[in-house]
Amino acid sequence: MDEQSQRAQVFTITSGKGGVGKTTTTANIGVALARRGRTVAVIDADIGLRNLDVVMGLENRVVYNLMHVVRGVVDAERALIRDKRVPGLLMLAADQHSDKDDVSQEEMVQVCEDLRTHVDYILVDSPAGIEQGFRNALAPADRVILVTTPEVSAVRDADRIVGLVEAAGKPAPVLILNRIKPDLVARGDMMTTADVLDILRVDILGVVPEDAGIVAATNRGEPVALDASSRAGRAFHNIAARIEGETVPLMALDEAEAKGFLRSLSNLFRAGPDGG
Amino acid sequence: MGFLDRLMGRVGPASDASGRVAKERLKVVLEYDRARLTPAQLELIRDEIIAVISRHVDIANADVEVKLEQGGRLVAEIPLGRSGGGGGVTGGGGR
Ligand SMILES: Nc1ncnc2c1ncn2[C@@H]1O[C@H](COP(=O)(O)OP(=O)(O)OP(=O)(O)O)[C@@H](O)[C@H]1O
Ligand SMILES: [Mg+2]
């Protein structure tokens, strides 16, 4: 982040429906932004169902978690775990033994406030659903990244999130369409990116293909974005570039895009108050 | 339809392809979600409209239709009964 801006922007990654790829997305955007030389704090807000640490392969290094910070046991900055593979990547784990109701929206806002001056980006991994845990994750957000898959139930839930984000007075979310299967799209058996955008009426931040490499990477605790040459890894690096205001065409993952359906996102994030 | 046509975007996948079906179903579901209505509630509204209007004019009950149209328009189609004269009375209302 440039010299004049010293406060990190907070991005909350959320979805409504469970299991569509929020944690995977958070970890990989974190890796990709850090690889670009940024300092990034990723926060697991899925209290009681801690996941981000294992997806990132940092589970054995967790000493303090979000609850310790909220209870004042330790400063937010000191609770962050440094990812030794990627300089600048930091993680705050969730507490596996607490409850979503043990944290308030004000407390989540405060934790992020405390970290804003120490890092360039804060990524909050939201739990599924639209209850307290989601509200806590949403509270500190400057920007909301909505993750969905091209399925009826996931898109329906995503639409609900669009409404709730608006009701909370936040800017409209930007979409990541995950687990696209180009072969299914090509034979008409999966909704296209254009279909989903037509329905949700939000801007697209990125498309991520279905990639068995993600499963293998997650098994090992090595986010795919560590390998920028993998297909899914490249998708996340593109997303990080767009977050930083670069114009990168969407990966051609379906027919519409192959025909040149490209939406540039330049300046989408430049307009923010912190210029992040 | 040839592969080339499809590639050039001249024709899309068949209209019964499941991706197309998914999109159409989603559109309908979301119209109801966004309007905070259910098809069952719409049925109830229809019955009440019939009750109210038939107090004033003879209507063809079986043909009364209340629909949620795209863009959040609730539209009622109320054909008058035989004795009330040929045409229909159409009432539309915004969100
Ligand atoms: N693009 C992809 N290709 C293949 N597998 C994927 C992809 N994205 C996510 N997955 C797999 O889907 C599963 C769910 O992903 P993830 O845990 O990131 O979802 P989530 O939205 O965080 O779930 P939850 O709602 O439970 O927090 C994981 O096993 C993950 O490896
Ligand atoms: Mg998760």
Side-chain angles (χ1 to χ4, degrees):
Chain A
M1 183 166 283
D2 22 306
E3 246 65 318
Q4 71 265 26
S5 52
Q6 289 140 7
R7 287 168 50 81
Q9 276 203 23
V10 178
F11 288 75
T12 293
I13 293 88
T14 192
S15 68
K17 187 171 161 66
V20 298
K22 295 176 291 298
T23 302
T24 304
T25 298
T26 306
N28 283 292
I29 297 179
V31 167
L33 284 170
R35 277 277 159 90
R36 297 173 65 87
R38 306 303 177 199
T39 312
V40 187
V42 293
I43 302 179
D44 190 347
D46 201 346
I47 298 159
L49 292 170
R50 167 170 145 183
N51 270 176
L52 189 58
D53 57 337
V54 288
V55 169
M56 297 180 72
L58 298 175
E59 67 274 19
N60 295 327
R61 303 201 24 232
V62 175
V63 180
Y64 298 112
N65 62 49
L66 183 61
M67 282 316 290
H68 293 117
V69 178
V70 166
R71 295 204 185 103
V73 176
V74 64
D75 285 349
E77 199 204 353
R78 291 206 40 220
L80 293 171
I81 295 147
R82 277 168 204 285
D83 189 326
K84 291 173 183 159
R85 298 163 300 194
V86 192
L89 185 56
L90 307 154
M91 186 204 58
L92 180 56
D95 183 355
Q96 180 74 340
H97 305 290
S98 292
D99 208 83
K100 308 242 180 320
D101 302 331
D102 294 342
V103 178
S104 70
Q105 295 181 38
E106 293 72 27
E107 285 165 336
M108 274 305 290
V109 169
Q110 190 56 51
V111 170
C112 290
E113 264 331 288
D114 293 347
L115 289 175
R116 274 184 202 265
T117 49
H118 297 286
V119 298
D120 297 319
Y121 292 101
I122 298 172
L123 308 179
V124 179
D125 180 18
S126 162
I130 53 172
E131 294 83 20
Q132 180 76 38
F134 159 71
R135 289 178 202 287
N136 288 346
L138 181 63
D142 299 310
R143 301 279 182 168
V144 176
I145 295 177
L146 178 57
V147 181
T148 191
T149 56
E151 286 162 317
V152 175
S153 55
V155 176
R156 182 189 198 175
D157 290 358
D159 186 74
R160 186 92 166 88
I161 298 293
V162 173
L164 290 171
V165 168
E166 188 192 0
K170 306 278 183 185
V174 287
L175 188 76
I176 291 182
L177 192 56
N178 187 27
R179 308 197 78 156
I180 297 171
K181 301 189 181 83
D183 52 330
L184 288 195
V185 174
R187 47 166 215 264
D189 277 329
M190 182 170 263
M191 281 189 284
T192 65
T193 306
D195 286 340
V196 176
L197 290 177
D198 183 33
I199 282 166
L200 291 178
R201 301 187 188 289
V202 291
D203 284 321
I204 183 94
L205 177 61
V207 290
V208 181
E210 172 76 23
D211 187 342
I214 287 193
V215 179
T218 306
N219 284 341
R220 298 198 175 90
E222 294 167 358
V224 275
L226 288 173
D227 173 12
S229 68
S230 72
R231 206 162 151 76
R234 203 148 33 85
F236 288 114
H237 283 274
N238 287 349
I239 287 167
R242 291 187 198 110
I243 286 176
E244 295 217 293
E246 280 178 31
T247 303
V248 185
L250 287 182
M251 246 183 192
L253 295 178
D254 65 33
E255 232 182 345
E257 279 134 29
K259 282 189 317 212
F261 174 81
L262 306 174
R263 298 186 57 171
S264 82
L265 275 183
S266 70
N267 299 328
L268 186 60
F269 294 103
R270 278 191 189 144
D274 305 311
Chain B
M1 102 187 71
F3 170 76
L4 197 65
D5 282 337
R6 203 179 269 194
L7 196 72
M8 302 303 286
R10 282 198 280 267
V11 276
S15 65
D16 63 345
S18 76
R20 186 75 56 90
V21 174
K23 186 179 182 189
E24 291 313 314
R25 288 179 63 218
L26 249 173
K27 275 187 181 166
V28 174
V29 165
L30 288 183
E31 279 309 329
Y32 283 101
D33 284 357
R34 288 170 183 167
R36 295 168 175 263
L37 266 176
T38 64
Q41 275 176 306
L42 212 59
E43 196 60 25
L44 208 64
I45 290 171
R46 177 182 173 273
D47 291 347
E48 292 183 18
I49 285 175
I50 290 174
V52 169
I53 297 192
S54 56
R55 258 187 256 141
H56 303 280
V57 59
D58 186 21
I59 56 177
N61 291 10
D63 298 330
V64 171
E65 249 194 295
V66 179
K67 291 176 293 194
L68 187 58
E69 292 193 341
Q70 265 191 51
R73 274 176 67 82
L74 198 57
V75 173
E77 181 90 27
I78 306 161
L80 296 177
R82 288 256 150 100
S83 56
V89 178
T90 304
R95 293 173 185 262

